[in-house]
Amino acid sequence: MRRTVDIVLGIVTGVGGFLEIGSIVAAAAAGAEFGLGLTWAFVLGGLCLVLLVEMAGRFAAVTKQTVVGAMRSRFGFDFCAIPLAAILLVCLLVLATEITGCAVALELVTGVPFRAWGALVAFGVWLLLWTARFEVLRHVVSILGLTSLVFLGIALWLSPPWEALAAGLIPHVPAAHGARWGFLAAVILGASTSPFLFYFYSSGAVEERWDERSLRANQVVSIAGMGLGTILSLATLVVAALVLGGRGLRLEDYRLLPTLLEQPLGPWGFRAFAASLGFACYGAAAEVALVAAYLVAQTLGWNFGQRERPRRNARFALVYTLAIVVASIVVLAGVDPVDLTLVAMASTSLTLPVAVFPFLVLMNDEELLRAKKNRLAGNVVVAAIVALAVVLSVVTIPLEIRGG
Amino acid sequence: MPDVVRLVRDFLDQPIVGPDAIPLGTVDGVVLDLERDGTMRVVAVEQGAVTLARRLGRLLGEVVEALATRFGPRGGEVVRIPFERVWGVGTRVLVAGGIERDRLVAVEDWARENVIARIPGG
């Protein structure tokens, strides 16, 4: 019974924690500009995430080590320092993005500009980490995140064009705006495969002391949780394609975002959009700030954890506090939310190989995982999707910057 | 302890734990002594930001050392644990408790006493 409850909670965490400003902006931009033509990127990104999350949970359950700690022990500090620094930097950028997303939601509700909310949101995120222990935090984040189910409801209510959705599963480079199409594909792959989710998942598994008996639950949670999460982002894409698509719009203004739900639902849709954006980004910000602290603590072999009072893991608490301060400076600088999000997600795509390839090597290590090491198929699929993400981002980011 | 320990693969960069299994950092450096007969002997383990920074380059090492001397709770001193105090090597490096523990977690203690414990709820 307890196991079933854990599995259900795990799935809820996967679904509730899935949508955040990255996937919402990616879906809105893709839907507005290319209709359902980028469906394949969401499916590939989701597939890659399911596989990575399953691997991260299996790694924690079998080895009892964190992914980052094991990377350092196996490859050495000299090799890991630069990749981990790059991931940490992107992590701070994503944290700034999530705080901005929550501040934008408050602007939508109150009319007071988002820059004014940055500091308050940052404080709210910090307060959650400071006071809530791991289980509570996880449940708060996932239950708040469930508000994003509204996208699924609306997508079904609008009756999705199933044939166009199926056609979108096969990539066709459009005749015009090919570079933008590739750039958005990179953004989508970055937003869905985000390494922060699997670092968070693996750190949580170590904190909750998983063992080999957790492996079955891990499979169910990663497939169902991340799979349903992917369906949620596909639903957002469908809504965006139906509401904003086919008008030659280019998503440049974040004030256009609430239209997604406002057009089908009226003023209540506007409020529902603000609520789901705000809650999803608040939860995601808390998760990403914790990931920054996990990264540093696990690299340097510190005591860490979110199960005890902050003073029990003082350096760990200091790192997430500083991460939130640094990220809120980016918010106060007033970077445009849509630009910031697209840049953060494309940078995530760029750092995917350094986050994922060393991890794949660990997952194939017989000494560490014995009979539970990776099968060939999982390796090939993850490596191929990551390679695609990085090729797309290397080719299209310069074009995007040059094109404004 | 295993019969053969591969110094770089099995020892360097492994997590250090004390007798109570509390994490005490990582093996950031290994100090070797060259004997008269040409054999090398492990004499100590080093831990801390200064040792780590030196591994990435001389300039970075000097910058971090200067910063640690000026602001660090250990005054820039590199923590060295004599090898006799290393009790076990496996997936973790086990060291004796006592005085070593206090020096290894000096930064943790500093952060707790000067920052975290002073904030309400910490």
Side-chain angles (χ1 to χ4, degrees), chain A residues 157-225:
Chain A
W157 184 58
L158 292 173
S159 54
W162 298 107
E163 274 173 31
L165 200 60
L169 288 175
I170 296 153
H172 294 287
V173 186
H177 309 295
R180 175 75 175 173
W181 180 85
F183 174 74
L184 286 181
V187 165
I188 294 163
L189 289 171
S192 352
T193 320
S194 149
F196 311 116
L197 268 172
F198 79 83
Y199 286 148
F200 184 75
Y201 190 80
S202 99
S203 305
V206 170
E207 284 215 45
E208 292 177 339
R209 302 207 172 81
W210 285 14
D211 55 30
E212 301 208 11
R213 282 170 302 176
S214 321
L215 286 174
R216 173 58 55 147
N218 174 49
Q219 276 175 346
V220 176
V221 168
S222 49
I223 295 174

Side-chain angles (χ1 to χ4, degrees), chain A residues 78-104:
Chain A
D78 315 50
F79 174 85
C80 289
I82 291 171
L84 287 174
I87 296 170
L88 184 63
L89 208 66
V90 175
C91 191
L92 292 176
L93 198 60
V94 173
L95 178 57
T97 313
E98 303 300 346
I99 294 176
T100 305
C102 191
V104 163

Side-chain angles (χ1 to χ4, degrees), chain A residues 239-254:
Chain A
V239 174
L242 292 177
V243 172
L244 302 173
R247 289 194 253 151
L249 266 177
R250 184 170 158 135
L251 184 78
E252 269 162 355
D253 189 349
Y254 64 94

Side-chain angles (χ1 to χ4, degrees), chain B:
Chain B
M1 233 188 270
D3 296 340
V4 180
V5 173
R6 289 162 292 183
L7 209 53
V8 173
R9 191 185 153 139
D10 301 334
F11 192 53
L12 185 68
D13 289 315
Q14 300 300 315
I16 303 175
V17 291
D20 46 6
I22 301 277
L24 299 173
T26 38
V27 177
D28 296 331
V30 179
V31 184
L32 298 174
D33 193 18
L34 188 60
E35 308 263 295
R36 284 228 170 124
D37 61 3
T39 52
M40 301 255 245
R41 206 165 58 86
V42 179
V43 287
V45 167
E46 283 192 355
Q47 182 253 22
V50 177
T51 306
L52 275 183
R54 281 180 189 151
R55 284 171 67 182
L56 298 182
R58 242 183 78 188
L59 182 66
L60 189 65
E62 278 167 22
V63 171
V64 171
E65 190 177 353
L67 288 172
T69 311
R70 178 85 179 73
F71 303 106
R74 295 191 281 227
E77 178 215 15
V78 170
V79 183
R80 275 194 178 183
I81 310 167
F83 195 64
E84 305 86 75
R85 308 283 286 168
V86 174
W87 287 359
V89 179
T91 52
R92 294 185 169 121
V93 173
L94 179 67
V95 299
I99 187 102
E100 272 78 18
R101 191 209 158 271
D102 292 346
R103 285 162 67 220
L104 287 165
V105 294
V107 183
E108 172 78 13
D109 290 342
W110 176 89
R112 185 176 56 250
E113 280 156 27
N114 295 289
V115 190
I116 302 300
R118 293 188 178 194
I119 304 173

